[in-house]
Amino acid sequence: MTIDQDRAEAAAPQGGRAEGRVSGGRQAWLVTGFLTLLLVINYADKIVTNIAGPDIIEDLGLSKSQFGVVQSSFFWLYAVGGIVGGWLMARIRPTRLLFAVVVIWAVTLLPLAWPVGFGTLVVCRVLLGLAEGPTTALTMHIAHTWFPPEKRALPSSVLIAGTSVGPVIGAPTLTWIVTAYDWHTAFAVLAAVGFVVAVLWLLVGREGPESPVGIHAASSVELPERAPLRKVFATGTMIGLTTLILCAYAAVAVKVTWLKLYLQDGLGYTSQVAGNLVALPYLGSAVALVGVGFVSAALTRRGVSSRLARGVLGASLVLGSGLAMLAFAPLGTGTPHMALLILSACLNSAGLGIVFAAISDVTPPGQRGMVLAIVSAVFSLGGVVTPLVLGGVVDAAATPAEGYTTSFVIVALTMVAGAVVALLTVDPERDARKLAALRPVPTD
């Protein structure tokens, strides 16, 4: 018996809803809240080398280019993990798969609780990236089983907000741990937290009544249960959204991997002040994500097309983020610089939040997990390239400040280009009709 058959038999006769469970109800938000907590931990794991960066560089005697390799290494197998995770989602219950993934996170963090060399640090970051590759797709997929398509924009935004709340909590906390103890202690704490949340997930982790079987997109067009993936990814909407996410994630990668070093090394803030300032863009992003999620959901309820409520809105936010980055890149320390930096982070994160909901509008329900996993794999390329480029540019520049300015201009122009592509190509209703006209693809 396949996983999809198992879910279908467990569902109630009407609408594919499991008995005793209500879409979008209290239990739905309980599970979504815990999934958000998992992403909080997930992103604390990502930024720990950013927070501990100056100490790691000094302790191991690394150049900026070598540290760029450390930061990039997290993403080397991230795409592989995402695709393998998407394949496994059709064969293992996503809730069980997520438990296994969280345990592996914790295991890969443990060796760094003791003195290590450059090679061990890189290997551990590579393995952590491999394990975290499926995380975004898994959490989105599980959350979407609790909400009907027209209500997914808000929970999608709440989940992505977890990626901002993680650094809000983690940046000052990890800065304090590194300052009071050392960077090895920070990794030990994160490993312990990972094991604890894995056990808690066993207690609360459930899939909801919105089974992939028979559930369709938010448009009036009924999507086929399955379709050739090459046809799905050849639609203008998927081309535009994937391009947008890839370009927007370049800015996320900078924030995750280099922000503290930029503030400390490039602008001259002290380690403690830089660690505290790192939290501000993430805090603003969390608020913006939830706010824009409400706006997108309200537009959908009022009959606004998915193209406008999700595609155009998301691309416009990323476009605004790129323009704000162009504005703050040449500025020195001060309120205008931080205000524009925070604004850029807020707009970019909010755009990403609703874009993930738009993907579901053109995704055959039986292939949602795999499509989300492939998209996650693609955007991870921004995480591979950006830290390496930034490290090389900073090393080659006359001063660190000049190097960071050049790097931010490059990233900003990339975001603007991605947003323009999305504005020209994204139209979920049009592409849903194209997919609906295809011959059904038999299930495995």
Side-chain angles (χ1 to χ4, degrees):
M1 180 180 292
T2 66
I3 293 295
D4 284 345
Q5 289 172 328
D6 192 23
R7 290 173 185 150
E9 290 185 7
Q14 297 180 344
R17 284 167 169 71
E19 210 170 302
R21 297 182 185 178
V22 180
S23 296
R26 183 180 299 175
Q27 189 175 9
W29 282 107
L30 172 64
V31 174
T32 301
F34 200 89
L35 291 170
T36 303
L37 174 62
L38 288 177
L39 286 176
V40 169
I41 305 302
N42 175 272
Y43 266 73
D45 294 347
K46 280 186 174 74
I47 69 162
V48 62
T49 49
N50 180 12
I51 299 301
D55 294 77
I56 293 174
I57 289 172
E58 182 179 356
D59 189 19
L60 300 184
L62 306 180
S63 67
K64 295 295 191 301
S65 294
Q66 286 177 308
F67 187 69
V69 171
V70 172
Q71 297 295 64
S72 171
S73 65
F74 174 86
F75 297 98
W76 290 353
L77 294 182
Y78 192 94
V80 175
I83 293 172
V84 171
W87 180 79
L88 288 174
M89 267 189 265
R91 292 156 178 80
I92 301 173
R93 284 191 180 278
T95 50
R96 296 172 186 170
L97 183 59
L98 185 57
F99 166 76
V101 162
V102 177
V103 170
I104 296 172
W105 298 354
V107 170
T108 62
L109 291 166
L110 268 181
L112 303 180
W114 292 275
V116 295
F118 174 71
T120 302
L121 176 59
V122 169
V123 169
C124 287
R125 296 303 287 177
V126 169
L127 294 176
L128 179 64
L130 176 67
E132 292 195 357
T135 304
T136 300
L138 274 168
T139 54
M140 284 286 177
H141 176 77
I142 294 170
H144 285 182
T145 67
W146 285 98
F147 297 89
E150 69 276 7
K151 294 183 178 180
R152 286 177 184 156
L154 181 56
S156 295
S157 293
V158 169
L159 282 173
I160 299 298
T163 67
S164 294
V165 174
V168 168
I169 299 171
T173 303
L174 292 171
T175 297
W176 175 80
I177 293 172
V178 171
T179 303
Y181 299 95
D182 55 34
W183 62 275
H184 299 290
T185 305
F187 281 94
V189 170
L190 288 174
V193 170
F195 286 122
V196 171
V197 297
V199 173
L200 292 176
W201 175 246
L202 284 178
L203 302 178
V204 303
R206 300 289 185 276
E207 285 185 86
E210 295 291 334
S211 163
V213 179
I215 301 301
H216 304 287
S219 70
S220 59
V221 180
E222 185 174 287
L223 285 166
E225 183 63 31
R226 302 173 70 85
L229 287 176
R230 67 181 184 279
K231 296 287 187 181
V232 175
F233 281 96
T235 61
T237 296
M238 288 302 298
I239 291 171
L241 293 177
T242 304
T243 302
L244 180 66
I245 291 174
L246 173 62
C247 296
Y249 200 77
V252 174
V254 170
K255 188 170 62 172
V256 169
T257 59
W258 280 94
L259 183 55
K260 189 190 176 192
L261 272 171
Y262 164 59
L263 295 173
Q264 184 175 337
D265 190 34
L267 298 181
Y269 289 104
T270 66
S271 177
Q272 188 67 50
V273 172
N276 292 333
L277 288 177
V278 164
L280 295 181
Y282 290 103
L283 179 61
S285 295
V287 175
L289 273 158
V290 176
V292 171
F294 271 112
V295 170
S296 180
L299 290 173
T300 302
R301 284 196 303 271
R302 294 179 183 181
V304 176
S305 69
S306 179
R307 178 179 184 274
L308 295 176
R310 293 175 179 176
V312 171
L313 179 56
S316 298
L317 289 166
V318 174
L319 176 62
S321 174
L323 296 176
M325 184 177 289
L326 280 174
F328 81 68
L331 299 180
T333 57
T335 301
H337 171 268
M338 281 306 301
L340 287 168
L341 191 155
I342 293 169
L343 176 64
S344 178
C346 291
L347 295 176
N348 192 53
S349 295
L352 281 172
I354 58 175
V355 163
F356 274 103
I359 289 173
S360 289
D361 293 342
V362 289
T363 300
Q367 296 167 299
R368 186 171 60 219
M370 176 57 79
V371 169
L372 286 169
I374 292 172
V375 172
S376 298
V378 171
F379 76 62
S380 72
L381 296 176
V384 173
V385 174
T386 306
L388 288 173
V389 171
L390 197 150
V393 171
V394 172
D395 261 348
T399 66
E402 288 181 13
Y404 285 114
T405 296
T406 302
S407 299
F408 281 117
V409 168
I410 293 171
V411 173
L413 292 175
T414 300
M415 295 166 68
V416 170
V420 170
V421 170
L423 287 169
L424 294 174
T425 58
V426 172
D427 190 338
E429 286 82 6
R430 175 200 66 202
D431 293 328
R433 288 192 294 271
K434 289 181 180 179
L435 293 175
L438 297 175
R439 288 184 179 181
V441 174
T443 58
D444 294 334

